[in-house]
Amino acid sequence: MEHQLLCYEVETIRRAYKDPNLLNDRVLQTMLRTEENCLPSLSYFKCVQKEILPSMRKIVATWMLEVCEEQKCEEEVFPLAMNYLDRYLSIELTKKTHLQLLGATCMFLASKMKETIPLTAEKLCIYTDNSIKPEELLQMELLVLNKLKWDLASVTPHDFIEHFLSKLPVPKDSKQIIRKHAQTFVALCATDVKFISNPPSMIAAGSMAAAVHGLHLGNSNSFLSYQPLTDFLSQIIKCDPDCLRACQEQIESLLETSLRQVQHNSIPSETKTVEDELDLSCTPTDVRDVNL
Amino acid sequence: MSNVRISNGSPTLERMAAQQPGHPKPSACRSLFGPVDHDELSRDLQKKRNESHEQDRLRWNFDFERDKPLDGNYKWEAVDFKDVPDFYWRQTRERVSPADCGVDVNGNRAIVYIGTTVAQGNAAGDTYFANSERSDAVKETAERCTDSKEQCSAPRKRTASVDCSPEAKRVTTKAESEWSANSPSLSAFEQTPKKSIPSGHHT
């Protein structure tokens, strides 16, 4: 038997420690000020696009979420890619057959923005079943960059979630699960047309409220019960509590519809309440399943 | 953010490529809106590229394709490339030969490569590769344009280093900070053009 060298080194991604300085109020205020700059136009389906319909956005978004999940991308990559996609579609007439190329390009860019080891062009092309070529992706990348004026550092709902969590008087393990659920909701919102025009802070607060509500955390912690939490979050993001409430309800009903679709597609006999389902669906992977 | 997973747990490219013929593909591998007409796509991309070339040309009154200044708001004056920091003309670290054009592990190199070919004159000189490649052309331009009186703009198409527009300035700042971060000892050197150009050329 030959001697062999065993390598125990695992290729892990080194991460910086969380910097408390990035969670202070000054940063939060700046984020609230700048988030409006990166919002896509509300009505691009009507005003800009001729072929592309809301249902197609849903199709491409679902596919993008699946790819991000399968490639275990950072959570932020998917919402960020959707932000690029919407912003591009807000200004540039695009053909239906080029929509998947655009989606792949947006993931390519978002992944480079957020990940240490980004998705490769080739991998993304494989995910389109090789319907596009890497060269086309790279050319599209340049085009998207140009159209977005190289402004890729959009604020995402995830940025806000961290701020909210840092202000919540709850134990660490609760924060963990709230974060996970809220991120799932954020991804869900990114797939749905209704939320295009909502600023990231609103999505984040609505998702957070929906997560806490779904987890029944309000029963044990009075601070997390419905009214105080909504007031607290709306104060942070400086919006009307009623607006936030409406957003939260919209998110919850989106979840309900998605779950119903899934149940319809798989096991129609099971009748679970939304809350029960939510308890089970604590990872983003479940959101993907929900959307299938 | 804290419980994020690392992204290298993904299947390798080889593994995925191997799955291509026959074997069941990952469910996410699919073409969503039917086959893509590659000729049409390439025409569309070319068209949009030309549009943005045109925009850049109008914006900077500079023909990036031919490396020639045009009439307009900006007065272009060429300088000898030796008078500017080597940042603008030295061989860049990412230089990739055409033979290398296959996308590598990170996909990054291929970007650079495409950037050189596609972006020639495309993004308002956002690639400095073009500069390094075309120092001859630049010199040639230099000889032709020395008659422009008002000194205003940057050494070359890079429109950097002079405060003509805030954006140009921002580009410079970024480039310089990147540069000086790489080799702090040379940061003094990098300052030269800013000082020398105005004093040398203001008439």
Side-chain angles (χ1 to χ4, degrees), chain B residues 54-168:
Chain B
E54 179 64 13
Q55 274 169 12
D56 292 337
R57 203 174 60 80
L58 291 175
R59 178 165 178 210
W60 301 108
N61 60 271
F62 194 95
D63 188 340
F64 292 99
E65 308 257 281
R66 274 173 285 173
D67 239 340
K68 299 258 168 56
L70 305 163
D71 286 335
N73 291 332
Y74 295 99
K75 297 286 181 204
W76 289 86
E77 179 158 329
V79 293
D80 194 321
F81 75 97
K82 292 203 179 87
D83 292 343
V84 296
D86 73 346
F87 170 80
Y88 292 106
W89 50 266
R90 77 194 143 111
Q91 295 266 314
T92 44
R93 56 196 183 286
E94 294 282 6
R95 210 149 167 70
V96 179
S97 72
D100 248 358
C101 74
V103 191
D104 80 332
V105 199
N106 285 326
N108 294 335
R109 285 196 162 222
I111 305 310
V112 170
Y113 167 67
I114 284 294
T116 357
T117 53
V118 173
Q120 288 197 348
N122 182 24
D126 276 312
T127 57
Y128 42 80
F129 308 99
N131 284 341
S132 62
E133 275 174 6
R134 286 193 241 164
S135 44
D136 285 343
V138 168
K139 257 199 262 178
E140 201 182 299
T141 324
E143 279 147 30
R144 282 189 207 157
C145 315
T146 34
D147 53 341
S148 56
K149 286 271 153 51
E150 191 193 337
Q151 202 285 327
C152 161
S153 195
R156 270 176 260 145
K157 54 187 267 185
R158 216 177 135 72
T159 60
S161 73
V162 179
D163 310 336
C164 278
S165 83
E167 277 181 21

Side-chain angles (χ1 to χ4, degrees), chain A residues 11 63 66 70-71 93 95 100 112 115 120 122 127 129-131 136 138-139 141-142 176 179, chain B residues 1-3 5 7-8 10 13 20 25-26 28-30 32 38 41 44 48-49 105 111 122:
Chain A
E11 202 184 311
W63 171 72
E66 274 177 63
E70 204 163 294
Q71 287 297 314
L93 176 62
K95 291 195 173 101
Q100 192 171 19
K112 282 202 237 180
E115 301 194 278
T120 67
E122 283 201 343
Y127 272 115
D129 205 15
N130 293 310
S131 66
E136 291 165 342
L138 299 177
Q139 289 178 25
E141 180 190 30
L142 199 61
Q176 193 74 0
R179 177 187 293 118
Chain B
M1 247 181 242
S2 68
N3 63 327
R5 301 137 313 177
S7 21
N8 57 353
S10 49
L13 199 57
Q20 279 299 294
K25 300 167 191 171
C29 283
R30 56 179 188 264
L32 299 179
H38 294 283
L41 175 60
D44 280 7
K48 299 210 172 176
R49 222 165 31 232
V105 199
I111 305 310
N122 182 24

Side-chain angles (χ1 to χ4, degrees), chain A residues 92-161:
Chain A
E92 212 44 38
L93 176 62
T94 307
K95 291 195 173 101
K96 184 177 92 173
T97 46
H98 300 170
L99 187 57
Q100 192 171 19
L101 169 62
L102 176 63
T105 308
C106 292
M107 281 194 278
F108 191 46
L109 286 168
S111 169
K112 282 202 237 180
M113 282 297 284
K114 294 289 175 189
E115 301 194 278
T116 320
I117 302 177
L119 295 170
T120 67
E122 283 201 343
K123 216 180 248 181
L124 284 165
C125 289
I126 292 172
Y127 272 115
T128 68
D129 205 15
N130 293 310
S131 66
I132 56 168
K133 301 175 194 156
E135 306 88 74
E136 291 165 342
L137 187 83
L138 299 177
Q139 289 178 25
M140 189 65 183
E141 180 190 30
L142 199 61
L143 187 64
V144 174
L145 281 169
N146 248 323
K147 293 293 171 193
L148 301 187
K149 298 193 164 57
W150 295 76
D151 187 2
L152 299 191
S154 319
V155 180
T156 65
H158 292 255
D159 300 323
F160 285 103
I161 288 176

Side-chain angles (χ1 to χ4, degrees), chain A residues 44-90:
Chain A
Y44 68 74
F45 292 108
K46 273 187 197 143
C47 305
V48 183
Q49 302 301 332
K50 289 178 184 156
E51 285 184 23
I52 291 175
L53 305 170
S55 58
M56 295 173 189
R57 182 189 182 273
K58 184 94 186 175
I59 292 172
V60 80
T62 309
W63 171 72
M64 286 164 72
L65 182 57
E66 274 177 63
V67 174
C68 286
E69 282 306 321
E70 204 163 294
Q71 287 297 314
K72 299 189 165 52
C73 293
E74 305 271 338
E75 302 286 350
E76 276 176 299
V77 171
F78 172 63
L80 191 61
M82 287 309 291
N83 174 265
Y84 299 160
L85 181 116
D86 286 327
R87 280 166 61 203
Y88 182 88
L89 290 176
S90 306

